[in-house]
Amino acid sequence: MEKFFYILIPIAFFLYNAYNNYIKEQQKSRSRSLKQPEQNSSEVFPDDFVGGKIKKDYTEGHFQSTSFLDDKKKELQMRREEVRKKQKAAKEAVNDFYNLEEPVEEVLKGREIHAKHHHEFKFPEQEQEAKRIFDLREAVIQQAIINRPDY
């Protein structure tokens, strides 16, 4: 019975300290929340703001956010158009299979010679593997041979 007291006393002390620390932290958080004034919520617009209407006109001196956002919107649209043009030109260049170069006479003669021989490369057809039929009797016999007891 005395051994239990030696164990219970440190546990009770630990719980008491933990509860006191919890109460102190609660009081600190209450005092922090009372000291802070309410902040005005300001709407933040992303850098690439594209659409929508701006309901409020935020002015700071001579700066007007609506004109700034309109300029940003125009710049973004111009960048997108440039990217689309570049992508379109790249696609046209890739899909252009017409070659303006004329082959040399030697190449034409070589093509004529090999056209007679019908040299055409064909991929070999994949051979179908012979289907193996599972035979239980044969499997049991092979297992008995492999697992032969040592005498």
Side-chain angles (χ1 to χ4, degrees):
M1 189 72 174
E2 294 174 359
K3 294 180 182 178
F4 290 117
F5 288 119
Y6 293 118
I7 296 172
L8 291 177
I9 290 174
I11 292 174
F13 182 72
F14 174 76
L15 292 174
Y16 177 74
N17 284 339
Y19 181 71
N20 280 339
N21 289 338
Y22 174 75
I23 291 173
K24 288 178 185 178
E25 290 297 323
Q26 290 294 325
Q27 290 173 354
K28 286 181 185 178
S29 67
R30 286 185 200 133
S31 65
R32 272 188 244 133
S33 64
L34 294 176
K35 290 179 184 177
Q36 292 180 349
E38 293 182 15
Q39 296 178 355
N40 294 334
S41 62
S42 61
E43 297 179 19
V44 179
F45 295 102
D47 292 336
D48 59 344
F49 180 77
V50 176
K53 295 181 179 179
I54 301 172
K55 296 178 183 177
K56 297 179 183 178
D57 185 20
Y58 298 96
T59 58
E60 296 175 6
H62 65 279
F63 178 77
Q64 292 185 348
S65 62
T66 53
S67 63
F68 175 73
L69 290 176
D70 289 337
D71 294 340
K72 283 287 189 181
K73 182 178 176 183
K74 289 177 185 176
E75 288 178 18
L76 184 63
Q77 287 176 348
M78 289 173 56
R79 286 184 197 154
R80 287 183 180 168
E81 288 176 11
E82 289 176 8
V83 169
R84 284 184 193 137
K85 288 178 184 176
K86 288 180 182 177
Q87 288 176 349
K88 188 175 181 181
K91 285 180 183 178
E92 289 175 358
V94 170
N95 292 333
D96 184 21
F97 297 113
Y98 180 70
N99 189 359
L100 297 177
E101 297 179 5
E102 295 180 9
V104 186
E105 293 178 17
E106 295 175 4
V107 174
L108 292 174
K109 288 179 184 177
R111 287 182 184 170
E112 288 177 14
I113 293 170
H114 290 288
K116 296 175 188 175
H117 301 289
H118 302 289
H119 292 294
E120 295 177 7
F121 179 77
K122 293 182 181 177
F123 287 100
E125 295 179 10
Q126 295 179 353
E127 297 179 7
Q128 294 180 353
E129 296 180 9
K131 294 182 181 178
R132 297 184 67 190
I133 300 173
F134 180 76
D135 187 11
L136 181 62
R137 182 174 177 267
E138 186 178 335
V140 171
I141 293 170
Q142 289 177 358
Q143 182 183 10
I145 292 171
I146 291 173
N147 297 331
R148 196 176 290 181
D150 294 331
Y151 293 110

